[in-house]
Amino acid sequence: MRTERLVRRMIGGRTSPVAGSIDRAHAGLVTGWLGCPTCPESPQIEVRVDGTTIQGQQLTTPRPDVPGGSGFLLRFTPISTAHDPVIVRVQCAAHPATSIEAKVGSEDWRVPALGRIERVSWPHVSGWIAEFVPMSTQAKMCLQVDNGQTIPVRGNVPRPDVQTFLGAEGVTGFQLNLGDALGYAVPSGTTIRLLRGNLLLDEATVETSPLGPLSESCIPSPDGSDHIEPSVLADLLVRFRSTPAAAAPDADWQRLLDGLGFKVHSASTHQWAEFLAAHDYGAADIAAILAIRKIKGMGVPVLDPLPSALSNRVRSASPELPERVQSWTDDVLGLHQQPESDAHEKKSPQAHDLRVCVAGLTEHRSGLGQNATHSITALRAAGIHACTAPFFPAPGGWNPRLLPTKQATGALKDHSILLHLPIDRVAPALCAQSALLASPRIIGYFMWETEVIPRQLWRPLGLVDEIWTATEFVAKSFHAVTDTPVRVTGHAVDVSMVELVTRAELGIPDDAFVVHFSFDANSTVARKNPNAAIDAFRAAFEGDPSAVFVLKVRNMQQAEHLARSGDPHARGMMQRLQENPSIRLITGELTRARSLGLIAMADCFISLHRSEGYGYAMAEAMALGTPVVATDYSGSRDFMSSEVGWPVGHSLVDVLPDEYFYWEPGMCWAEADVAQAAAALRNIRSAEGVAERVEAAQKHIALVGTIDSLRDAYADALAPTKPPSANGAIAGPRQEGQGLLRETFP
């Protein structure tokens, strides 16, 4: 909020031609400024209320916005008056004729506090509070959400800008995390009120919520009367109970915890593991107890995520656990229940599958969020009912509609769930949004970026009935470790909204040859491999001032952090940026339309990635008619070949620890041939055969990468009686010795 909002001019009739104003006047506070033409310096101020001189603490405040550069602030013991309006007169103590007056309504005069909400960008709320009257125990500062829930507000941030106008006493700023306080998210547009007791100080609306704006849904909003019935919980538990940990029975507690889908190896986790081991608990018991500890921090009521063998062990051990550890098991839904059957039958397509709830990152600004949006569009284009259940899979991002109430579970019994989430968030999400488990068929729309799937992700793959993914590369990786059916649906590429980006605004000559690459540093610098792209550009056009490399980096602060931490890939990028004046660096958040405009502006798009699940930017470049040079490896091979682009050869190299989010033995990816990429760049600049290949690329993407192609794939996958087509075939059973391990625990 701009400081000017604090200045509320209350100029009344002036008794002489003086400069000044009363900015604020309340019982306990008068602020403003006064210039006295007779006094050589700032005058000593005298304040009179309804003719009575007020005694109090007077301060001179810096006011660069007014003549003389200073103002006055008088804090005094609040006084009451029967007059309405209250007449406030400020005068020079030495020259009383130099004065200004203001008429203040009685309601304004009696205000005991002021406050502002300056920013509500989920989950953060910030602002300031100023109290003129001591706060009673009945009149606490709080934020109130639309649903009536209140959150205490305590000043915790210095605000000298506000104190300039209102003084230091009782004036402070506040910052709080609504997600942490509530445990769940509220929709964008939700009203947040700043209250002092029953007095409304300010209100604002939530922005950028992971739930998006409030909209109609098949799942009703909680109304306070919803309750969780044991019979409902028993049905929801079956999927977790029947999906074992992906680990051998004799594994240590860390591997067992990984195998449950909960990798939480913090220092405190290790301390508790050592504590439990010292009390003679075995590895299986320790892993199960620590998994329960993990989900207790979700912020909402959570469902027991353990398979039968481990859940039984926790139940039997619970009475003997130390009191602190026992508290972790309190209120975990279903922990002390046993479903009638531990067998979960994976469903074949039925008529009810024509109702689909797209759940997860439907409102998220990321590739995963884009996938979810395309799924909704494609389903509706196919005439299939598609509602949404957005949430972000972390405390403060949960959707309260997806708690396991009778109303929510009843609404989802005739819907298939299409779950758009990172694989490692599936188990925690189904614990915290357990109404989803009422669906007879859960489809996981999952992406991955290496040939090896870490063991931690095997169990989440088994929690769903079917897996959809975009490319054969990803499907093959999944098929190697799970017997859950896998279907390749493809992706949709939308370039309908493109903002024109001119070379002039980037300081690039119109006749320059422009090579472009863009990536998100949160997707790891090592995998995206901008260094190879820069090296190929330099090898192709060293010393040529008419060649320009435009590099767009989202979340550049992450790359800078990695460089400071010693990451060789990030440090290499920073060094190349310093050494090469031909690179134009663009950072920060751009709209999707402007990002597409950069691709359209370029003469070539290059991606020497080490691995991609799909490769949106490459497909978008092809659709926009920009030639593409890319590593001939991983998901991009599904839509790119030498007939429609410039694929670059590679050698396979090991993935090293810290290069990717996970590391497993045997994990590898591609190292592109930089010399071959440089030759491709020179070929594109020569224009020989380029137009024909670009035209073929646009036609190819129009066939395999549109909403229409995705619509057809989804309609085929959800058809009640139609068998899978050859192009979208469901993968068969895994080979002997592969797949999700089905051990039980002694």
Side-chain angles (χ1 to χ4, degrees):
M1 184 207 69
R2 297 177 61 188
T3 304
E4 288 91 306
R5 287 184 60 185
L6 287 169
V7 182
R8 183 177 59 183
R9 305 298 186 190
M10 305 179 72
I11 301 174
R14 289 174 176 168
T15 55
S16 65
V18 296
S21 74
I22 297 174
D23 297 332
R24 285 199 169 273
H26 306 287
L29 171 76
V30 177
T31 71
W33 65 280
L34 178 68
C36 178
T38 307
C39 293
E41 297 180 353
S42 296
Q44 183 70 22
I45 299 300
E46 185 177 275
V47 177
R48 299 172 67 85
V49 175
D50 289 337
T52 301
T53 301
I54 301 299
Q55 302 297 324
Q57 180 186 14
Q58 185 178 140
L59 300 173
T60 299
T61 60
R63 288 290 301 273
D65 59 320
V66 303
S70 63
F72 65 83
L73 186 151
L74 181 69
R75 297 295 292 263
F76 52 93
T77 302
I79 62 171
S80 59
T81 175
H83 294 84
D84 189 6
V86 178
I87 306 300
V88 179
R89 176 187 174 96
V90 176
Q91 61 191 33
C92 174
H95 308 95
T98 302
S99 64
I100 52 178
E101 283 187 359
K103 296 179 180 180
V104 185
S106 59
E107 288 189 6
D108 270 347
W109 179 254
R110 290 195 297 266
V111 164
L114 297 173
R116 289 290 182 270
I117 301 172
E118 297 174 319
R119 179 173 176 263
V120 187
S121 181
W122 191 266
H124 303 290
V125 181
S126 60
W128 57 266
I129 50 180
E131 300 197 75
F132 312 133
V133 179
M135 187 164 50
S136 69
T137 56
Q138 290 79 29
K140 298 294 186 182
M141 285 282 187
C142 68
L143 287 176
Q144 184 186 68
V145 187
D146 256 353
N147 61 10
Q149 185 162 350
T150 58
I151 302 161
V153 172
R154 299 176 181 87
N156 53 13
V157 182
R159 288 300 299 266
D161 57 328
V162 180
Q163 291 170 350
T164 292
F165 294 94
L166 301 180
E169 184 180 346
V171 178
T172 184
F174 65 86
Q175 293 178 349
L176 57 85
N177 186 309
L178 273 181
D180 286 347
L182 295 173
Y184 55 83
V186 296
S188 296
T190 298
T191 300
I192 305 292
R193 298 176 180 86
L194 178 61
L195 301 175
R196 185 185 193 267
N198 294 323
L199 176 66
L200 175 64
L201 302 182
D202 198 16
E203 62 182 25
T205 56
V206 171
E207 300 174 2
T208 63
S209 166
L211 306 189
L214 182 65
S215 59
E216 291 187 9
S217 173
C218 295
I219 311 166
S221 297
D223 61 7
S225 63
D226 296 347
H227 61 281
I228 301 169
E229 296 183 356
S231 60
V232 172
L233 289 180
D235 291 338
L236 302 183
L237 286 167
V238 173
R239 196 179 292 263
F240 276 124
R241 290 282 200 266
S242 63
T243 308
D250 58 352
D252 61 26
W253 69 265
Q254 296 181 65
R255 289 188 177 275
L256 288 171
L257 194 56
D258 285 354
L260 289 170
F262 297 95
K263 192 179 184 75
V264 281
H265 297 168
S266 64
S268 62
T269 303
H270 279 269
Q271 289 176 15
W272 278 110
E274 291 174 2
F275 173 87
L276 292 168
H279 285 72
D280 298 325
Y281 287 92
D285 297 313
I286 293 171
I289 292 168
L290 292 178
I292 294 295
R293 176 177 179 263
K294 168 66 176 177
I295 64 169
K296 282 290 286 186
M298 295 288 189
V300 293
V302 288
L303 190 71
D304 172 21
L306 299 175
S308 287
L310 293 184
S311 187
N312 292 339
R313 296 178 76 98
V314 172
R315 281 197 299 275
S316 61
S318 184
E320 302 173 4
L321 292 171
E323 183 177 351
R324 173 79 177 275
V325 180
Q326 279 192 46
S327 68
W328 301 340
T329 67
D330 294 344
D331 304 322
V332 174
L333 302 176
L335 182 60
H336 299 288
Q337 286 182 253
Q338 188 66 26
E340 293 182 6
S341 171
D342 279 352
H344 169 65
E345 180 184 355
K346 298 197 173 185
K347 305 291 183 179
S348 299
Q350 300 295 326
H352 64 255
D353 289 327
L354 297 182
R355 297 178 65 82
V356 179
C357 176
V358 183
L361 298 174
T362 62
E363 297 289 333
H364 198 248
R365 285 195 62 187
S366 65
L368 293 175
Q370 194 173 344
N371 295 346
T373 300
H374 288 163
S375 287
I376 297 164
T377 304
L379 287 166
R380 291 173 178 170
I384 297 170
H385 167 89
C387 58
T388 62
F391 63 88
F392 186 81
W398 306 121
N399 189 334
R401 294 188 184 203
L402 294 175
L403 299 180
T405 62
K406 185 176 181 179
Q407 290 85 341
T409 55
L412 290 174
K413 283 184 176 179
D414 64 347
H415 284 64
S416 287
I417 303 297
L418 182 54
L419 193 62
H420 280 269
L421 286 178
I423 307 168
D424 63 343
R425 301 306 301 163
V426 169
L430 292 179
C431 288
Q433 307 280 246
S434 52
L436 295 171
L437 295 167
S439 168
R441 185 184 185 200
I442 298 180
I443 303 162
Y445 193 106
F446 299 147
M447 294 299 296
W448 190 247
E449 292 149 345
T450 66
E451 295 181 24
V452 174
I453 306 293
R455 186 176 289 266
Q456 180 190 347
L457 306 183
W458 292 10
R459 186 176 187 237
L461 297 177
L463 287 171
V464 298
D465 298 303
E466 189 174 326
I467 297 167
W468 292 0
T469 193
T471 64
E472 295 289 348
F473 171 80
V474 182
K476 183 179 179 181
S477 299
F478 289 151
H479 186 38
V481 298
T482 183
D483 58 4
T484 301
V486 181
R487 180 184 291 267
V488 177
T489 61
H491 255 338
V493 179
D494 181 9
V495 293
S496 58
M497 299 291 290
V498 182
E499 178 183 333
L500 176 65
V501 176
T502 66
R503 297 186 174 196
E505 62 188 282
L506 300 178
I508 299 173
D510 286 341
D511 60 351
F513 182 77
V514 178
V515 178
H516 177 44
F517 177 54
S518 62
F519 77 102
D520 188 333
N522 282 347
S523 295
T524 81
V525 179
R527 182 176 71 82
K528 291 294 187 177
N529 200 15
N531 296 337
I534 295 171
D535 291 346
F537 171 82
R538 189 158 53 185
F541 309 117
E542 184 76 60
D544 184 349
S546 65
V548 177
F549 191 102
V550 176
L551 177 65
K552 181 176 81 72
V553 184
R554 187 182 181 204
N555 292 308
M556 182 66 175
Q557 68 277 8
Q558 173 66 7
E560 293 168 339
H561 168 73
L562 289 171
R564 289 192 298 269
S565 302
D567 178 82
H569 305 283
R571 294 182 71 176
M573 184 182 78
M574 298 303 176
Q575 183 177 350
R576 286 167 173 80
L577 290 175
Q578 291 178 352
E579 294 173 349
N580 199 325
S582 297
I583 299 175
R584 301 288 195 277
L585 177 65
I586 299 173
T587 61
E589 288 288 333
L590 300 186
T591 64
R592 174 167 163 72
R594 187 161 181 82
S595 295
L596 292 173
L598 283 174
I599 296 174
M601 176 273 301
D603 294 297
C604 173
F605 186 88
I606 185 170
S607 175
L608 298 187
H609 54 269
R610 290 190 167 94
S611 192
E612 286 283 3
Y614 181 72
Y616 259 124
M618 289 169 274
E620 289 163 350
M622 291 168 64
L624 289 167
T626 301
V628 176
V629 176
T631 311
D632 189 24
Y633 177 73
S634 62
S636 57
R637 296 192 70 187
D638 271 31
F639 58 83
M640 184 173 159
S641 67
S642 58
E643 295 178 352
V644 296
W646 284 258
V648 174
H650 64 276
S651 57
L652 289 179
V653 297
D654 291 336
V655 178
L656 299 178
D658 290 334
E659 289 188 327
Y660 192 52
F661 304 114
Y662 300 88
W663 182 86
E664 286 273 319
M667 191 176 278
C668 63
W669 53 21
E671 194 66 59
D673 186 328
V674 170
Q676 191 180 128
L681 292 175
R682 288 191 292 267
N683 173 251
I684 292 170
R685 190 174 193 182
S686 74
E688 183 178 346
V690 171
E692 294 82 358
R693 213 178 296 193
V694 166
E695 182 181 0
Q698 288 183 294
K699 291 180 178 178
H700 180 60
I701 290 295
L703 286 174
V704 303
T706 64
I707 288 293
D708 288 347
S709 61
L710 196 62
R711 173 201 64 198
D712 294 343
Y714 283 12
D716 181 70
L718 293 169
T721 57
K722 187 177 178 181
S725 67
N727 290 334
I730 296 177
R734 55 190 165 85
Q735 300 299 312
E736 184 68 27
Q738 296 178 323
L740 183 62
L741 300 181
R742 301 286 181 182
E743 288 91 348
T744 57
F745 293 87

